[in-house]
Amino acid sequence: MLLEVHNLNVYYGAIHALQGISFHVDEGEIVTLIGANGAGKSTTLRTISGLLRTRTGYIRYKGHDITNTPAQEIVKMGISHVPEGRKIFAPLTVRENLLMGAYTRNDPNEIQRTMERVFTSFPRLKERINQLGGTLSGGEQQMLAMGRGLMSRPTLLLLDEPSMGLSPILVEEIFRIIQEINQQGTSILLVEQNAHMALSIAHRAYVLETGRIVLSGAAKEVAENPMVKAAYLGV
Ligand code: ATP
């Protein structure tokens, strides 16, 4: 198991956002967490990446306990979080945004090599290397956020709603690139409201409802589940 999450209970003040969440990601997998607004998907990613604390349970990564470890340590260990809404640095150029993703690394030649690899996945970013982040289109900003996430050379990439606000063609492109990144060896935990697309590329899936996992299994099986079809796939 690359990542093992066991019995997380996370609160925002009195709000009990995660109510005993357990799941895992194996090496090489794309695992998706799907669920409606407010189900706790972003909260789950933020807890793994050290931005929120859990009151109970544990998170293990490569067999080590990383529960409530500070975010900068989590990045160094090889977990990178691409947040919902992209959160790119608007006044910085594409190049500067990418370099921010490499802040835990210090060999400039290695960093440059990683940037070239990011440009292979996202040629559009290379064309716009000196453009300010804030002037990129929504799709380009998503590519930049993912590129920045890859600059730390993660073993596990946490992606929060990469399809949000994108046209259907761009969604297809982003999901194709996610699969490509996975095939090059990065494991992926993908949070999505676009259940149809997420289930089409994931190996396994978990369905989250109001802070609890209500269903899990192979993505193909989850996509065939009548409850999932009715609630998330509009069938
Ligand atoms: P979405 O798809 O809308 O982003 P989500 O599944 O990612 O939803 P979360 O953002 O994890 O859901 O939110 C889970 C619950 O925690 C919701 O009820 C939400 O209102 C609450 N919550 C999230 N962030 C905070 C916060 N900073 N303060 C208080 N409550 C919060």
Side-chain angles (χ1 to χ4, degrees), residues 33-90:
L33 298 181
I34 59 173
N37 283 112
K41 305 181 299 297
S42 300
T43 302
T44 304
L45 295 193
R46 291 170 61 81
T47 308
I48 296 167
S49 62
L51 299 169
L52 292 170
R53 297 178 72 83
T54 180
R55 273 199 209 167
T56 62
Y58 60 78
I59 303 171
R60 287 191 188 136
Y61 170 68
K62 295 183 176 172
H64 301 287
D65 190 336
I66 61 160
T67 320
N68 299 334
T69 299
Q72 64 273 25
E73 296 301 319
I74 299 282
V75 178
K76 279 189 201 159
M77 288 172 184
I79 301 179
S80 184
H81 184 170
V82 180
E84 183 176 358
R86 292 122 205 187
K87 305 277 175 6
I88 58 151
F89 303 103

Side-chain angles (χ1 to χ4, degrees), residues 22-25 29 31-35 41 189-190 199 204-208 213-217 219 222:
S22 301
F23 66 93
H24 72 275
V25 179
E29 275 191 313
V31 170
T32 187
L33 298 181
I34 59 173
K41 305 181 299 297
L189 179 57
L190 168 68
L199 292 172
R204 288 187 305 111
Y206 295 86
V207 181
L208 215 61
I213 288 168
V214 294
L215 185 74
S216 66
V222 170

